[in-house]
Amino acid sequence: MSKISFVGEEEASESLPEDYEPYVKEWFNDKFGSLTPPQKYSFDLIHEEENSLICAPTGSGKTLSAFMSTLNELFREGDKGELEDKVYVVYVSPLRALNNDIQRNLKDPLEGIKKKAEEMGYDIPEVRSAVRTGDTTKKERRQMREKPPHILITTPESLGIIINSPKFRESFRDVRYVINDEIHSICDNKRGVHLSLSLERLEDMVNGSFTRIGLSATQAPIKEIAKYLVGFEWREDELVTRGCNIVDVAATKSMDLNVVSPVKDLIYTKPDEVRGEAYRKMHEMIQDHESTLIFTNTRAATERVVNTLKNMYPDFYEDNIGAHHSSMSRNKRFEVEEDLKEGNLKVAVTSTSLELGIDVGYIDLVIQMGSPKGVARGVQRIGRSGHNLEETAKGRMVVMDRDDALECTVLLKDAKEDNMDRVRIPENCLDVLSQHIVGMACNKIWGVEEAFDVIRQSYNYTDLSEKNYRKVLDYVAGEYAELEDQHVYGKIWVGEDDDNPGREVFGRRGKMTRVIYMTNIGTIPDESSYRVALRGNDEIVGTLDEAFLDRLTKGDVFVLGGSTYRFIYARGMKVYVDAAPDSSPTVPSWYSEMLPLSYDLGKNIGEFCAKIGHQIDMGFGENEIVDWIFSNYYVDSNTAHAIYSYVREQHDYMGFVPSNKKILVEKFVDDDNKLNVVFHTIFGREVNDALCRIMANILSKEVGSNIGMVVDDHGFVLRCPSRPVDFRNLVGRLTQVNLREVLREAVRKTELMKRRFRHVAGRALMILRNYKGKSKTVGQQQMKSHFLLSACEKVDDEFPLIEETYREIMEDAMDVIHAEEVVEGIKEGDIEVEVRENDVPSPFAHSLVLQSQSDVIRLGDRKERLRQLHEQVLSRINS
């Protein structure tokens, strides 16, 4: 089989495979009685050793779908006396906590099947499982080497170490199954790239080939995720996919969904009243259910929700409510997880840390505060409720502003219709490639072409050019002698095969290479806080997290400790600023924590707005449109009215509604006599970030000054000195330039470039986090990267690590691919651009305009400013 195909209903089976071991069948039937939807398809497929991607909701027996046939084979080997002390099954999960869950959950079938076999007169040995992660002790690792488990449960990073461990590696020669869990959460980042290469190297090591099994929540594009899972193989000098059966039963679980707005009017209702009513509704929902999980989008919001519920309802919430987020200690998070499982908590509040499949016991309601920004993320969160397949997943999205109301309304419609936003899987990451080439060289001497063939079997490197491959080899082999001044030395050698003249080979250079590789493996960068110092006197005024620096360019103003500062530059781990007491911030303090709206959901929101705008054009009135929203979407009456009034006001003020097919560019001069140009591009924040920086770069050359930028999910704002600019012509120029070249130029001197280069250099083993038992601090790494970036640019304009830094920024941190799609739509006339000049910004621009001031304007004052803008708009509509 060499194709990706969906399994049809006719291939389902209501019973276990005929030739399962009798005691395995007996145990399963006693324990469960019947098969769940994913099990009906997957048991036979995996039993026949066919690659399978199982896409199913939480609580559907998905994990046992992957393990059941593999367990049957292990017990069969034991029954025949052929079960050896080696690894047959590798289970890989991105989360250590999930690994520990799997280990606990495997205990029941492993012990239960053995006991059933003994009852039926079979003498079979124990089938062992073990967890190998960064938390595994040296003693446990030694025991695993001496007596390997039959089932190894691990993480992508630990798998990379294992396949380079000479003693343990031999235990992997007969691996028959690899289970890749939560594949949707790892395939879109560099941990997934690293894992893909590790699996191809494992494939090259084993005797024969292993069966690949992927477990996924609802995700798209599912065929591409399947290709990522199975990779490619060579047939007659051509790469073809290994083939995969897709078992997609994600839609089998029913969902009870609704968007809840606390009040009908989100503009004129006092902030305290909106907030109070929102928490009152949440409290009622919590009391009506046995166990509730509340999702927020930031860690600060998680703490705020817990504290507010406790303060408002002290008689109800004391020891029965808990917070769970990544800033908490592992022990605290574990306590909350255990309390949830044991039913000790009435409600748990989390940001993103409980999204994935950690077992938290019975949850019958999920509340989402505000928009989760993506359909798949929303479904994943809501799917934590109604844990059993026959139960209904119940989700309520509480919204407190009109933009959130729009997003959540479209999101739940897409969720019901299984219309998922698509993941972007990184390709040709040269830093991860550098790391793996060093790892490959540590294991044996490779033919240069042979290694290239193995690498290209990975989905992420199928299109890797020989030019880039050779450049990475040159870098890792130390061919750039100029970099030795920066203590960057070759880690491999490349030369001619003595036994086969003309064949190029490479291998490890020096004994320390293996140590360097094993102590610096992985893709997750070290991160730390930056100290913020006043320029001139070096007084420290606070700290910033690294991710926040991605957003800063020279001249940006931000709030820290209640005061405003202008960013000047960063050096090492210090950020130098000037006090700016009279300036409005251009970057809100919460920016780095906010989840970005997905491109696909953004487009669908634009389409939804266009539908309402069309109905207004056709003469439909308020009641008809509100009824249409209420009948066709999963919203309460308050939300339907809020959306109608929002879109109606925009339409009446501008004469049309911005959408995925019509971009509004509006200009107005603010109170500081700055020209604000608002681009209503509802394409998600990552696309808008790319478009904004490109437009700012073009505009700055035209006006001869720096351009302020505000980026949001629904658009972006350029702020510049008030002077005549032909923005119709400016948009036209956007369609004539090479977007990637302009974006490269725009980010070259930014903190984003410096920070991302450090991450890339760390993955590529140019900057060593650990060396000879000593660890480099993040500050030391950052200082080192400052000199290395300059040195690499002098060595080669297309130095592979610099090229990878640009690729990562443009394609992973931003979304230049879909930005190009938008610009192509403008060029081809599929997307219309309308430029308008207003003295008051339109309703859709209000949140964008106020966003930059959200740190210095108190919530009540912000609501008042929003109300003032709204009244000015209405007065112009009615005049």
Side-chain angles (χ1 to χ4, degrees):
M1 178 189 177
S2 61
K3 64 178 182 177
I4 307 293
S5 59
F6 288 89
V7 177
E9 288 186 17
E10 69 281 357
E11 297 174 72
S13 173
E14 296 296 330
S15 60
L16 296 170
E18 238 355 91
D19 57 345
Y20 260 21
E21 296 299 286
Y23 47 86
V24 173
K25 293 165 81 170
E26 192 77 18
W27 172 82
F28 183 88
N29 290 329
D30 287 352
K31 180 81 175 177
F32 301 104
S34 62
L35 278 62
T36 64
Q39 293 168 357
K40 291 176 183 178
Y41 298 96
S42 58
F43 283 176
D44 280 319
L45 289 171
I46 297 168
H47 187 52
E48 292 163 10
E49 299 188 343
E50 292 200 26
N51 297 330
S52 303
L53 174 59
I54 304 166
C55 186
T58 302
S60 62
K62 188 168 48 180
T63 304
L64 199 56
S65 298
F67 272 112
M68 200 65 225
S69 288
T70 68
L71 294 179
N72 181 76
E73 292 307 306
L74 293 177
F75 279 109
R76 174 178 292 177
E77 292 289 313
D79 192 19
K80 293 188 297 183
E82 297 176 2
L83 188 67
E84 300 178 40
D85 287 336
K86 56 188 177 186
V87 177
Y88 293 88
V89 182
V90 178
Y91 168 93
V92 187
S93 157
L95 292 177
R96 294 180 189 181
L98 187 52
N99 283 334
N100 294 325
D101 259 359
I102 294 297
Q103 170 75 334
R104 285 193 295 267
N105 294 337
L106 270 180
K107 186 178 179 182
D108 184 37
L110 289 177
E111 292 179 354
I113 293 172
K114 190 173 189 306
K115 184 178 179 183
K116 179 62 69 175
E118 290 168 353
E119 289 174 3
M120 295 174 68
Y122 291 87
D123 183 20
I124 57 173
E126 177 190 21
V127 174
R128 301 185 306 276
S129 66
V131 175
R132 169 68 160 84
T133 67
D135 294 333
T136 306
T137 64
K138 288 183 179 179
K139 180 182 178 182
E140 289 169 329
R141 293 178 195 177
R142 186 175 65 253
Q143 289 172 343
M144 282 185 214
R145 287 195 299 269
E146 293 169 355
K147 193 171 184 179
H150 305 114
I151 302 169
L152 183 74
I153 301 164
T154 190
T155 60
E157 290 75 18
S158 290
L159 179 63
I161 290 172
I162 289 164
I163 60 176
N164 267 81
S165 303
K167 293 180 181 177
F168 204 7
R169 191 172 68 236
E170 292 305 310
S171 304
F172 276 66
R173 297 294 183 187
D174 290 301
V175 167
R176 291 174 61 182
Y177 305 93
V178 172
I179 301 169
N180 195 338
D181 201 357
E182 302 288 356
I183 192 171
H184 57 284
S185 72
I186 196 168
C187 67
D188 66 347
N189 57 63
K190 287 191 173 180
R191 291 185 77 199
V193 178
H194 194 281
L195 175 60
S196 178
L197 272 180
S198 291
L199 291 180
E200 293 309 327
R201 290 175 57 195
L202 180 61
E203 182 84 31
D204 182 72
M205 284 167 44
V206 300
N207 300 315
S209 188
F210 51 80
T211 301
R212 302 184 187 218
I213 305 158
L215 302 179
S216 173
T218 301
Q219 195 57 272
I222 198 68
K223 280 195 170 185
E224 292 304 307
I225 295 173
K227 288 179 184 177
Y228 163 81
L229 168 69
V230 298
F232 292 77
E233 62 186 359
W234 290 95
R235 290 191 191 169
E236 298 177 357
D237 297 327
E238 184 182 353
L239 273 174
V240 296
T241 178
R242 290 192 177 95
C244 185
N245 299 282
I246 301 174
V247 177
D248 188 1
V249 291
T252 55
K253 190 169 184 177
S254 62
M255 293 189 291
D256 174 0
L257 308 174
N258 211 30
V259 182
V260 177
S261 176
V263 295
K264 186 174 180 178
D265 190 331
L266 289 166
I267 295 293
Y268 287 99
T269 310
K270 292 180 180 179
D272 287 345
E273 188 178 334
V274 175
R275 177 173 163 275
E277 190 62 19
Y279 279 95
R280 187 188 67 76
K281 284 181 180 286
M282 284 170 54
H283 175 65
E284 285 181 358
M285 288 188 276
I286 291 166
Q287 298 309 309
D288 288 342
H289 293 83
E290 187 177 322
S291 184
T292 300
L293 190 56
I294 300 175
F295 280 99
T296 69
N297 287 343
T298 66
R299 290 163 293 189
T302 293
E303 298 287 356
R304 187 166 60 247
V305 169
V306 171
N307 291 332
T308 303
L309 284 171
K310 280 184 172 182
N311 291 334
M312 287 182 67
Y313 303 100
D315 295 336
F316 290 95
Y317 305 106
E318 187 56 44
D319 298 325
N320 62 348
I321 186 170
H324 189 289
H325 57 74
S326 57
S327 292
M328 296 168 61
S329 70
R330 175 69 194 109
N331 289 339
K332 287 286 186 184
R333 294 201 306 271
F334 183 73
E335 283 178 22
V336 172
E337 291 163 22
E338 290 301 303
D339 283 342
L340 269 174
K341 284 180 202 173
E342 294 168 14
N344 296 331
L345 291 184
K346 180 76 173 173
V347 56
V349 188
T350 183
S351 49
T352 59
S353 53
L354 287 178
E355 273 184 7
L356 298 183
I358 300 169
D359 183 10
V360 291
Y362 180 75
I363 302 289
D364 57 348
L365 174 67
V366 167
I367 297 174
Q368 166 70 46
M369 292 289 287
S371 169
K373 303 294 182 180
V375 183
R377 184 180 291 113
V379 170
Q380 179 87 0
R381 291 179 171 186
I382 292 164
R384 304 299 284 155
S385 65
H387 193 73
N388 295 324
L389 188 64
E390 63 274 8
E391 294 176 3
T392 298
K394 191 171 186 179
R396 297 292 181 264
M397 295 198 171
V398 179
V399 298
M400 289 192 281
D401 66 58
R402 300 196 293 184
D403 285 324
D404 263 357
L406 269 178
E407 287 182 21
C408 291
T409 297
V410 177
L411 188 152
L412 291 192
K413 178 79 165 175
D414 284 344
K416 270 285 193 178
E417 295 176 356
D418 200 28
N419 185 19
M420 297 296 117
D421 27 29
R422 297 162 295 168
V423 297
R424 301 197 312 274
I425 303 177
E427 296 180 9
N428 303 323
C429 305
L430 303 183
D431 50 352
V432 180
L433 177 61
S434 301
Q435 186 179 132
H436 269 279
I437 286 175
V438 174
M440 293 168 80
C442 289
N443 282 353
K444 68 175 186 179
I445 293 174
W446 286 82
V448 169
E449 291 302 320
E450 173 197 359
F452 190 36
D453 285 346
V454 169
I455 289 162
R456 283 190 292 163
Q457 288 175 180
S458 160
Y459 175 93
N460 305 89
Y461 293 95
T462 304
D463 296 324
L464 178 68
S465 68
E466 185 164 4
K467 175 187 174 184
N468 281 337
Y469 173 59
R470 291 281 179 172
K471 278 185 171 289
V472 169
L473 275 180
D474 286 346
Y475 151 64
V476 180
E479 293 299 319
Y480 297 98
E482 302 93 324
L483 293 178
E484 291 186 2
D485 292 341
Q486 296 296 328
H487 307 291
V488 177
Y489 304 105
K491 295 167 183 65
I492 69 170
W493 55 263
V494 180
E496 191 174 279
D497 187 348
D498 293 338
D499 299 326
N500 191 354
R503 177 176 180 253
E504 218 178 350
V505 293
F506 69 85
R508 181 185 70 185
R509 179 186 287 186
K511 293 180 180 179
M512 280 303 295
T513 299
R514 180 183 298 280
V515 177
I516 288 170
Y517 176 78
M518 299 291 264
T519 55
N520 290 275
I521 198 170
T523 61
I524 303 172
D526 294 337
E527 297 213 343
S528 184
S529 296
Y530 280 69
R531 290 180 297 163
V532 181
L534 286 174
R535 187 170 56 156
N537 62 14
D538 235 26
E539 178 191 348
I540 303 298
V541 294
T543 61
L544 292 177
D545 67 78
E546 280 202 59
F548 188 74
L549 251 70
D550 276 2
R551 189 70 203 111
L552 291 182
T553 56
K554 185 176 180 179
D556 270 332
V557 177
F558 61 93
V559 174
L560 186 63
S563 300
T564 48
Y565 299 96
R566 179 170 284 104
F567 171 67
I568 307 301
Y569 62 90
R571 184 167 295 159
M573 297 303 290
K574 263 189 185 179
V575 173
Y576 288 90
V577 299
D578 288 340
D582 300 320
S583 299
S584 299
T586 57
V587 185
S589 62
W590 42 259
Y591 186 89
S592 61
E593 271 198 70
M594 288 299 292
L595 299 167
L597 181 74
S598 71
Y599 171 70
D600 292 317
L601 180 55
K603 282 179 66 177
N604 292 344
I605 292 166
E607 188 176 325
F608 176 56
C609 291
K611 286 179 181 177
I612 298 175
H614 179 67
Q615 291 181 60
I616 295 171
D617 289 336
M618 296 291 288
F620 291 108
E622 177 175 357
N623 291 339
E624 292 168 294
I625 296 175
V626 167
D627 286 346
W628 175 80
I629 297 171
F630 190 72
S631 301
N632 289 279
Y633 294 82
Y634 304 92
V635 300
D636 66 0
S637 177
N638 284 349
T639 304
H641 277 93
I643 288 172
Y644 166 77
S645 63
Y646 191 25
V647 179
R648 180 87 211 199
E649 289 160 13
Q650 179 70 28
H651 179 278
D652 289 353
Y653 187 59
M654 299 303 303
F656 69 96
V657 181
S659 70
N660 57 315
K661 294 295 183 183
K662 190 165 186 176
I663 294 172
L664 168 63
V665 179
E666 62 173 308
K667 304 184 292 180
F668 69 93
V669 177
D670 62 19
D671 296 338
D672 297 326
N673 201 35
K674 288 267 190 181
L675 177 64
N676 286 247
V677 189
V678 183
F679 289 76
H680 294 267
T681 47
I682 314 176
F683 298 113
R685 193 183 326 145
E686 290 165 335
V687 170
N688 289 338
D689 199 356
L691 290 173
C692 181
R693 289 176 189 261
I694 292 166
M695 290 296 294
N697 186 269
I698 295 171
L699 182 58
S700 66
K701 292 177 180 177
E702 183 153 324
V703 300
S705 67
N706 287 334
I707 304 298
M709 297 180 289
V710 177
V711 180
D712 188 57
D713 293 315
H714 294 222
F716 59 92
V717 184
L718 301 179
R719 301 180 78 232
C720 59
S722 184
R723 62 186 67 175
V725 177
D726 185 348
F727 281 92
R728 217 174 287 274
N729 179 55
L730 196 70
V731 173
R733 286 172 58 192
L734 183 67
T735 65
Q736 297 164 3
V737 299
N738 183 311
L739 299 187
R740 290 178 184 250
E741 286 182 5
V742 177
L743 189 52
R744 281 174 71 117
E745 184 182 344
V747 302
R748 169 60 194 93
K749 299 294 184 182
T750 63
E751 295 306 314
L752 172 63
M753 178 72 183
K754 297 173 189 174
R755 177 172 169 258
R756 292 282 178 162
F757 178 77
R758 187 192 91 222
H759 296 172
V760 167
R763 294 187 197 100
L765 308 181
M766 177 178 274
I767 295 174
L768 302 179
R769 303 190 303 273
N770 300 288
Y771 185 63
K772 292 185 176 179
K774 294 182 179 179
S775 298
K776 269 194 175 74
T777 66
V778 175
Q780 289 170 327
Q781 293 175 42
Q782 187 63 38
M783 189 62 76
K784 179 75 172 172
S785 75
H786 175 76
F787 295 109
L788 284 171
L789 176 57
S790 177
C792 290
E793 285 178 325
K794 291 175 183 174
V795 166
D796 186 348
D797 289 340
E798 296 181 346
F799 191 80
L801 302 194
I802 292 179
E803 289 300 298
E804 174 54 28
T805 305
Y806 281 122
R807 190 214 62 77
E808 181 179 304
I809 290 171
M810 293 192 290
E811 295 183 9
D812 299 348
M814 300 178 198
D815 186 358
V816 73
I817 296 170
H818 284 123
E820 289 171 328
E821 190 176 297
V822 171
V823 173
E824 184 63 23
I826 296 170
K827 189 175 182 179
E828 295 297 319
D830 297 326
I831 298 175
E832 186 182 347
V833 179
E834 184 80 26
V835 180
R836 298 284 183 89
E837 187 163 355
N838 301 316
D839 59 341
V840 176
S842 70
F844 275 21
H846 292 174
S847 62
L848 260 170
V849 171
L850 291 178
Q851 183 199 111
S852 63
Q853 301 177 3
S854 61
D855 281 323
V856 288
I857 299 180
R858 290 178 301 137
L859 180 60
D861 295 338
R862 186 174 186 272
K863 289 284 286 188
E864 179 58 34
R865 179 62 179 142
L866 196 60
R867 193 179 299 117
Q868 290 171 2
L869 289 170
H870 186 255
E871 287 174 350
Q872 290 173 325
V873 166
L874 291 184
S875 70
R876 281 155 180 75
I877 291 173
N878 296 324
S879 63

